[in-house]
Amino acid sequence: MPFSDFIGNPETLQRLREMLARGHFPPAVILAGAEGSGKYTLALMLAQAMNCLERRVPKTQNDEPSLFGAPPFGEEGGDAPSEGTSKSGELADFCGRCPNCRRIALAADLEARCTEAVEARENLRETDRKETRIFVQTHPDVLVIPPDPPQMMIKVDQVRHVIQNIYFRPAEGREKVYIFTSSAFMKEAANSLLKVLEEPPEFATIFLLTTNPGELLPTIRSRAMTFTLGALDPAEIERHLSHLRPDWDSRQRALVARLSEGALGRALSWDLPSYIAARAQALVLLRSALGKADHSELFKATESFRAGAEGREKMDALLRTLYLLLEDLVFLRMGTEQLVRNSDIAGELKKMAEDVDFPWVERAAVGLGEVERGLRRNLLRSLSLDSFVAALEPFA
Ligand SMILES: [Zn+2]
């Protein structure tokens, strides 16, 4: 069944499904976890389970389970009157095929749905545009509230819309579901949300997704139940990648599994070509810094980091990659090779690690910090990178 499609964190999943099956699901749930850990996927699955027409699960114990999925009038309902009749140990599930499940699933590609909503707003008249907030809604009873661009914060008008809507009974499902995909709330928005959480209607569930629960007001946290999606083991991610990303070979899968820090969603959407390109340049820089590459190669690499937004992104990718490589060098120096993330080039890194010591790595990390500060002061990127390398060169 569809909940079995959710990968990882089996205990958390089981607890949520049990609560749902027993009719003890809390009115507000914080789903915490890293980017790509499956928070949104899980929230949508729970919304499906709450509204599935095939699998009846009562929200509360005294909820009347015969409203939906009831046997036809006159039929003896003697055996298993409804699949949702909750016994202890029973797990809620959903079919994934009924109209409610299918419509809720249309919201699964959050990025695409948000882009559509933003484009629709762009096409409005200016006065309307200012008053329009971004929502994703593919089912009348399931509302997804993403951070509103350009500030990428949850705004008070978004929460007001929830308040105007939440006290009306569900239209086509059994449960109204509200999914806030970020915990970056504007102050007034957070205070408004708090009011809803103080008195939520019994037929509504609010999900708050966050990479950092500390970002939410303590008063919001205390009114919600928190579940954390933990990191998956790289070996487990690798195993799932072998059938989810068959286009990658085993070396690439091992690399991405290590880079994704335990978040399968991150692994699946990993931009491998961009990463490899950034890493090739990072390696040129490190080789030069160790006196193992000639300067023409270095200048060719650093020269490509020009001004502009695209250059900025490229530069950020380069810096992140450099930090990762330095970390790998530390792991190799410490004799913990199994922790190396860039496993596909472990041989080359091992050779490099022989030429560095901890003070060198430390100087390099400090140097990267200086490059980052230089970026904020708009120093020329290529010059910052050249001086980063020069400061690390032997006999510099
Ligand atoms: Zn269904």
Side-chain angles (χ1 to χ4, degrees):
M1 287 308 286
F3 266 121
S4 61
D5 288 348
F6 188 80
I7 292 167
N9 290 282
E11 295 87 8
T12 305
L13 186 64
Q14 169 138 353
R15 267 192 73 199
L16 287 162
R17 291 176 66 188
E18 269 171 9
M19 288 194 311
L20 199 54
R22 285 188 206 152
H24 285 315
F25 206 83
V29 165
I30 295 171
L31 290 178
E35 210 68 63
S37 57
K39 305 180 292 292
Y40 183 65
T41 304
L42 182 55
L44 272 193
M45 282 181 161
L46 290 163
Q48 285 174 305
M50 286 169 184
N51 288 301
C52 178
L53 300 171
E54 303 273 319
R55 311 275 300 195
R56 175 77 172 107
V57 252
K59 163 79 190 282
T60 52
Q61 277 181 316
N62 49 12
D63 184 12
E64 180 50 60
S66 58
L67 284 173
F68 285 85
F73 188 70
E75 190 178 296
E76 287 282 306
D79 51 346
S82 153
E83 285 179 291
T85 319
S86 48
K87 290 188 268 331
S88 134
E90 194 178 333
L91 296 175
D93 216 331
F94 59 100
C95 74
R97 296 177 306 264
C98 73
N100 278 354
C101 280
R102 287 219 310 266
R103 278 149 84 201
I104 295 168
L106 291 176
D109 190 344
L110 182 61
E111 214 182 303
R113 295 295 87 79
C114 285
T115 307
E116 285 165 11
V118 171
E119 274 170 13
R121 180 166 72 179
E122 293 301 311
N123 292 329
L124 295 173
R125 284 181 313 175
E126 203 189 330
T127 44
D128 296 334
R129 200 185 308 149
K130 278 194 186 133
E131 287 170 7
T132 303
R133 292 286 163 260
I134 299 300
F135 296 98
V136 172
Q137 185 156 36
T138 59
H139 184 284
D141 298 314
V142 179
L143 184 69
V144 178
I145 307 101
D148 195 273
Q151 299 90 339
M152 297 315 278
M153 305 274 286
I154 307 276
K155 295 179 183 162
V156 68
D157 287 345
Q158 289 174 293
V159 181
R160 280 199 190 121
H161 179 73
V162 170
I163 296 174
Q164 283 158 9
N165 176 291
I166 196 169
Y167 295 99
F168 293 99
R169 291 201 159 266
E172 293 177 40
R174 290 181 300 271
E175 183 77 7
K176 288 201 141 176
V177 181
Y178 298 85
I179 305 172
F180 289 89
T181 66
S182 157
S183 54
F185 281 81
M186 304 273 255
K187 199 165 170 239
E188 216 187 323
N191 288 329
S192 298
L193 176 70
L194 193 56
K195 284 188 206 119
V196 190
L197 294 181
E198 279 164 359
E199 258 183 296
E202 54 163 15
F203 48 77
T205 303
I206 296 171
F207 288 102
L208 297 161
L209 314 188
T210 179
T211 51
N212 172 18
E215 229 179 40
L216 292 162
L217 291 177
T219 39
I220 288 181
R221 290 205 302 273
S222 68
R223 282 177 174 82
M225 201 183 254
T226 301
F227 293 87
T228 303
L229 297 180
L232 271 62
D233 189 61
E236 194 182 351
I237 294 198
E238 219 178 308
R239 207 171 53 242
H240 290 294
L241 288 179
S242 66
H243 53 95
L244 295 170
R245 288 302 301 255
D247 51 319
W248 288 341
D249 66 31
S250 60
R251 260 161 66 114
Q252 291 171 320
R253 290 196 292 263
L255 169 65
V256 174
R258 275 153 192 77
L259 291 170
S260 58
E261 293 178 43
L264 183 65
R266 264 188 95 188
L268 286 173
S269 60
W270 195 270
D271 183 353
L272 195 55
S274 299
Y275 179 78
I276 299 287
R279 191 177 67 180
Q281 291 189 305
L283 285 169
V284 170
L285 263 65
L286 289 182
R287 267 187 237 120
S288 299
L290 289 166
K292 307 270 172 185
D294 67 76
H295 280 164
S296 65
E297 206 188 340
L298 171 68
F299 294 143
K300 214 174 105 193
T302 58
E303 215 187 32
S304 68
F305 289 89
R306 294 176 194 285
E310 197 188 316
R312 175 73 213 232
E313 228 167 78
K314 206 176 140 193
M315 187 76 177
D316 288 341
L318 176 80
L319 293 177
R320 276 197 304 274
T321 314
L322 277 166
Y323 277 119
L324 282 174
L325 289 169
L326 290 177
E327 230 172 28
D328 282 351
L329 292 177
V330 171
F331 292 143
L332 288 164
R333 294 287 329 173
M334 290 188 344
T336 47
E337 200 189 326
Q338 69 280 8
L339 296 177
V340 168
R341 294 206 178 92
N342 291 281
S343 52
D344 59 324
I345 54 164
E348 176 173 2
L349 292 176
K350 234 183 259 179
K351 269 191 224 128
M352 211 177 252
E354 285 165 15
D355 294 326
V356 305
D357 52 16
F358 289 117
W360 186 90
V361 175
E362 202 184 321
R363 274 195 291 140
V366 170
L368 282 183
E370 276 164 25
V371 174
E372 283 183 300
R373 275 190 294 283
L375 277 179
R376 286 197 288 275
R377 294 202 314 271
N378 283 321
L379 287 188
L380 213 56
R381 285 164 195 160
S382 54
L383 285 185
S384 295
L385 291 173
D386 289 339
S387 64
F388 161 74
V389 169
L392 288 171
E393 277 176 358
F395 320 112

